Amino acid sequence: MITEPESNTVKYRSTCPVSRSLDLLGDKWTLLIMRDALFFERKTFADFSTSSERIPTNLLSSRLKKLVALGLLTRRQYHVKPARYEYLPTAMGEKLRPVLDVIKQFGEENLKGGR
C-alpha cells in the first residue's frame, strides 16, 4: 500500500481514483453511516445505532472516528456534562450524496426487496 503523509489515516493501494475511493469508503458500514447522515439526518451516536442494519457499537465508534478524520463528517459537542457529540456531513461528505443516490437507484431497479 502507498502511504501519503497528508492522509495520515489511509493507506492507498494505488494511484487509481476508483481504488483510492474504495480505500476510503469500501466497507458497508462507512457508506451506511453516510447514508444515515445525509438522507435520514441522523446526528448522534444513539441515532446511528438505531439503524435497521444494527451496526455493532464498536464498529460504529471506529467508523465515526474514521469519517471525522477523513473530513467527511465533523464532530460538534452539543452537551457538556456528560460530553455528547453530533456528527454532521462536511462539504466533502455532501459530495457523496449523488453517489448514494445512484447506488439507491441501482438497488431499486435491480435488487427487488425480500431477504
Side-chain angles (χ1 to χ4, degrees):
M1 291 194 170
I2 303 165
T3 304
E4 295 186 2
E6 69 273 9
S7 69
N8 68 13
T9 58
V10 176
K11 293 182 179 179
Y12 295 106
R13 290 177 281 188
S14 79
T15 58
C16 169
V18 172
S19 177
R20 285 176 169 239
S21 294
L22 289 172
D23 287 339
L24 281 136
L25 305 167
D27 72 89
K28 71 177 180 179
W29 298 119
T30 300
L31 288 176
L32 289 174
I33 290 168
M34 289 306 299
R35 173 208 64 189
D36 288 352
L38 291 166
F39 297 121
F40 300 125
E41 297 182 10
R42 292 189 175 135
K43 297 177 182 176
T44 66
F45 188 92
D47 291 341
F48 290 111
S49 69
T50 64
S51 177
S52 62
E53 290 83 14
R54 298 181 302 272
I55 182 172
T57 55
N58 63 320
L59 291 177
L60 175 57
S61 180
S62 70
R63 292 314 187 278
L64 287 170
K65 287 176 187 173
K66 174 185 173 183
L67 290 165
V68 169
L70 294 171
L72 294 169
L73 293 176
T74 186
R75 185 174 92 146
R76 185 176 72 87
Q77 188 170 2
Y78 68 89
H79 194 269
V80 178
K81 287 188 180 181
R84 298 276 189 242
Y85 299 90
E86 63 182 5
Y87 299 87
L88 305 166
T90 63
M92 185 167 77
E94 283 288 342
K95 291 180 180 179
L96 284 175
R97 189 180 296 273
V99 173
L100 291 170
D101 278 333
V102 169
I103 292 171
K104 178 180 178 256
Q105 181 180 358
F106 174 85
E108 289 171 345
E109 293 173 3
N110 299 288
L111 308 172
K112 302 296 181 207
R115 291 181 171 254

